[in-house]
Amino acid sequence: MKEFIKDIIIAIIIVALITIVIKPTIVKESSMEPTLYENNYLIINKLAYFQKDHPQYGDIIVFKSDLDKTDGTGKKLLIKRVIGVEGDHITIADGNVYRNGELIDEPYVHGQETLADEGMEIEDLEVGDDELFCMGDNREVSLDSRSPEVGNVDEDDVVGKAVVRLFPFNQITTL
């Protein structure tokens, strides 16, 4: 009986540690295509930015938004790619994205034009202290930092970094 209780306590500790470190997530929309598709099952590292580390260019992150879920059960979590970090200047012009005056190479976008909200251009938008500028890879449908409804992402709202796609099984990969 003593061994059984010990095994249960060890199992509870392991489960608690795992839930502190990782968060399983299912992609709900098409804003990250062609990198991630609807119903892809991901593992999010919740401790990726816990200490001194900050999100880096190209990281795929999950963050809390102010957007309501369609079923009214709370706020949406969004998954997007980090394009700009604190102090960067972002410009979107002629369908291209520039960071600090340099055209960004974005092979994951597959030639789609990047437009600002409602087709407007963004000129020299500064990313504030402890903020990120994030966009989806499917620029035509992504609701992201280009939109006033999302805007720049506060680093405190970052839930974690997407690190592994587990499903579908034939597409298991690190991100």
Side-chain angles (χ1 to χ4, degrees):
M1 183 68 168
K2 235 179 180 180
E3 281 297 314
F4 180 71
I5 292 172
K6 180 181 170 186
D7 290 345
I8 289 177
I9 291 172
I10 290 172
I12 290 171
I13 290 170
I14 290 171
V15 168
L17 288 174
I18 289 172
T19 58
I20 289 170
V21 175
I22 66 170
K23 175 181 181 54
T25 302
I26 296 175
V27 177
K28 300 282 187 188
E29 297 176 1
S30 61
S31 70
M32 284 300 293
E33 290 179 7
T35 306
L36 301 171
Y37 289 87
E38 254 184 282
N39 298 317
N40 280 178
Y41 188 85
L42 310 177
I43 296 297
I44 307 303
N45 178 352
K46 292 173 25 178
L47 297 180
Y49 310 117
F50 180 66
Q51 291 190 320
K52 295 180 183 179
D53 291 338
H54 296 276
Q56 304 294 310
Y57 302 131
D59 284 359
I60 298 174
I61 63 169
V62 173
F63 59 92
K64 301 173 208 164
S65 76
D66 290 330
L67 303 170
D68 291 323
K69 289 183 179 178
T70 53
D71 62 5
T73 60
K75 301 295 182 184
K76 280 186 180 182
L77 291 178
L78 298 180
I79 184 164
K80 306 293 176 195
R81 187 179 299 274
V82 175
I83 303 300
V85 298
E86 176 179 317
D88 283 341
H89 291 260
I90 303 295
T91 298
I92 298 175
D94 302 322
N96 295 306
V97 181
Y98 300 85
R99 180 175 51 231
N100 303 321
E102 300 282 326
L103 177 65
I104 302 174
D105 180 31
E106 299 183 290
Y108 42 81
V109 176
H110 291 281
Q112 296 176 9
E113 281 193 329
T114 300
L115 302 174
D117 193 43
E118 298 177 22
M120 306 289 289
E121 293 188 344
I122 292 176
E123 187 175 336
D124 199 33
L125 175 109
E126 184 173 3
V127 181
D129 292 345
D130 298 319
E131 289 184 340
L132 305 166
F133 186 89
C134 301
M135 290 194 287
D137 292 354
N138 188 353
R139 303 285 165 81
E140 293 176 1
V141 301
S142 181
L143 184 60
D144 50 38
S145 289
R146 296 172 290 171
S147 169
E149 297 154 309
V150 176
N152 287 347
V153 177
D154 191 312
E155 281 193 35
D156 289 339
D157 290 334
V158 175
V159 174
K161 177 182 178 181
V163 291
V164 176
R165 174 181 26 223
L166 287 180
F167 185 82
F169 296 124
N170 65 342
Q171 294 178 5
I172 293 175
T173 186
T174 58
L175 300 170

